[in-house]
Amino acid sequence: MSGKRIIHTPEEIKRIRRAAEVTAGVRDEIARLAHPGMTTFDLDQLAGTLINASGGRSAFKNYHGYPGYICISVNDVVVHGIGRPDQIITEDDIVSIDVGVNIDNAIGDTALTFGFKEPSSDVKRLLEGTRQALMDGIAAARRGAYVRDISAAVEKCARRNKLGVVREYVGHGCGIQLHEPPEVPNYTGFGKGARLEPGMVLCIEPMLNLGTDSVKLDRKDNWTVRTADGSLSAHFEHMILITENEPEVLTWQKTM
Ligand code: MF3
Ligand code: CO
Ligand code: CO
């Protein structure tokens, strides 16, 4: 993996901060309004309405042809699930929403996974383990450290919780484009990666499975990613700014 990275200017960071804050607000509002009985298509439409009301527009819609406003990934779907009118959300489901908003030519990108009832011990291990892996990754994101240090922290937490680590999809730089260098994997073994410096904006986003690491792409829609073994999967994503001291979590809001 190359050491390529983007250091944003103070003017860009102002706009990125605002975009991230708006995106986090929309994420929390979608999570609050999501309920069993509605379809994932309903939820996507609702998300589109909330994003437009925020003054921004979806950073995902039409991105490489992506058809939804947000990504809605239920149960064994890892990432990039598309809202469907025939998919009714039930109280037994776990739902991941991933939200991207472009506002004033800056971008926010954040995700979380939630259920509707008291979780079983395995579901709790999956949700809490993935959330903790994100937090451990954030704690490692200090100036002078390397991308590898973030990856190692995420991976260590995943393995401690006996969760599978998805390797095909990774975190990334963000801010002006949705995906900027560097890549931020949730596993190690690629060298040190980029050195972290103030002004870098990173999306850290562990995608962890109750079963094995392996995933498969839906050959019909070419977007939906599922666990190969059918096990449940969770995804949490925050956007952070590298500073002189502790990282600033730009998508920190009510629900996470
Ligand atoms: N939100 C995803 C990420 O965290 C990217 C979604 S791309 C899309 O990087 F095309 F599916 F929207
Ligand atoms: Co995302
Ligand atoms: Co992302």
Side-chain angles (χ1 to χ4, degrees), residues 132-152:
Q132 189 59 50
L134 170 56
M135 295 310 159
D136 290 2
I138 292 171
R142 301 184 66 100
R143 81 168 304 176
Y146 290 82
V147 167
R148 185 193 181 281
D149 298 310
I150 301 174
S151 305

Side-chain angles (χ1 to χ4, degrees), residues 173-211:
C174 190
I176 301 302
Q177 307 291 327
L178 174 57
H179 294 140
E180 298 177 352
E183 292 192 345
V184 184
N186 297 308
Y187 55 90
T188 53
F190 53 84
K192 286 199 292 193
R195 189 177 148 101
L196 307 182
E197 297 296 343
M200 289 173 72
V201 175
L202 300 177
C203 287
I204 304 177
E205 47 180 312
M207 290 153 263
L208 305 182
N209 307 333
L210 266 185

Side-chain angles (χ1 to χ4, degrees), residues 56-113:
R57 57 191 166 76
S58 167
F60 300 169
K61 201 168 182 60
N62 299 322
Y63 182 81
H64 295 283
Y66 184 74
Y69 290 101
I70 63 170
C71 299
I72 305 170
S73 304
V74 179
N75 296 336
D76 64 324
V77 177
V78 179
V79 286
H80 302 167
I82 301 163
R84 294 195 332 242
D86 63 348
Q87 184 180 38
I88 299 167
I89 297 171
T90 81
E91 68 163 11
D92 297 328
D93 289 335
I94 60 167
V95 178
S96 151
I97 55 168
D98 191 341
V99 184
V101 178
N102 184 326
I103 183 161
D104 200 13
N105 294 315
I107 287 177
D109 178 18
T110 177
L112 89 166
T113 307

Side-chain angles (χ1 to χ4, degrees), residues 3-254:
K4 201 168 171 326
R5 61 190 186 179
I6 292 181
I7 313 291
H8 289 287
T9 66
E11 185 278 327
E12 287 173 336
I13 289 167
K14 238 194 236 172
R15 286 187 288 125
I16 295 167
R17 234 192 221 111
R18 170 87 184 120
E21 189 185 318
V22 168
T23 309
V26 171
R27 175 201 66 209
D28 289 350
E29 195 61 6
I30 299 167
R32 195 177 69 81
L33 294 170
H35 60 83
M38 75 194 301
T39 69
T40 53
F41 181 79
D42 295 335
L43 191 59
D44 190 63
Q45 292 294 114
L46 175 66
T49 303
L50 293 170
I51 290 169
N52 292 334
S54 78
R57 57 191 166 76
S58 167
F60 300 169
K61 201 168 182 60
N62 299 322
Y63 182 81
H64 295 283
Y66 184 74
Y69 290 101
I70 63 170
C71 299
I72 305 170
S73 304
V74 179
N75 296 336
D76 64 324
V77 177
V78 179
V79 286
H80 302 167
I82 301 163
R84 294 195 332 242
D86 63 348
Q87 184 180 38
I88 299 167
I89 297 171
T90 81
E91 68 163 11
D92 297 328
D93 289 335
I94 60 167
V95 178
S96 151
I97 55 168
D98 191 341
V99 184
V101 178
N102 184 326
I103 183 161
D104 200 13
N105 294 315
I107 287 177
D109 178 18
T110 177
L112 89 166
T113 307
F114 54 89
F116 301 98
K117 60 173 200 191
E118 190 57 31
S120 69
S121 62
D122 276 348
V123 170
K124 196 165 171 193
R125 175 166 57 87
L126 174 65
L127 296 180
E128 285 311 310
T130 309
R131 187 201 301 272
Q132 189 59 50
L134 170 56
M135 295 310 159
D136 290 2
I138 292 171
R142 301 184 66 100
R143 81 168 304 176
Y146 290 82
V147 167
R148 185 193 181 281
D149 298 310
I150 301 174
S151 305
V154 170
E155 184 176 41
K156 191 172 165 205
C157 182
R159 297 302 178 204
R160 190 173 64 237
N161 284 284
K162 300 203 168 4
L163 297 170
V165 178
V166 175
R167 309 173 70 85
E168 284 80 354
Y169 303 86
V170 295
H172 51 93
C174 190
I176 301 302
Q177 307 291 327
L178 174 57
H179 294 140
E180 298 177 352
E183 292 192 345
V184 184
N186 297 308
Y187 55 90
T188 53
F190 53 84
K192 286 199 292 193
R195 189 177 148 101
L196 307 182
E197 297 296 343
M200 289 173 72
V201 175
L202 300 177
C203 287
I204 304 177
E205 47 180 312
M207 290 153 263
L208 305 182
N209 307 333
L210 266 185
T212 69
D213 300 353
S214 305
V215 299
K216 56 180 201 281
L217 180 66
D218 188 309
R219 279 203 278 261
K220 277 184 237 116
D221 67 19
N222 256 303
W223 280 106
T224 307
V225 179
R226 292 188 179 80
T227 56
D229 60 8
S231 67
L232 296 177
S233 187
H235 180 208
F236 287 83
E237 173 176 29
H238 269 311
M239 203 167 145
I240 65 163
L241 172 69
I242 306 300
T243 74
E244 298 291 340
N245 303 300
E246 257 126 68
E248 181 181 334
V249 182
L250 302 177
T251 45
W252 198 267
Q253 281 252 337
K254 285 167 282 173

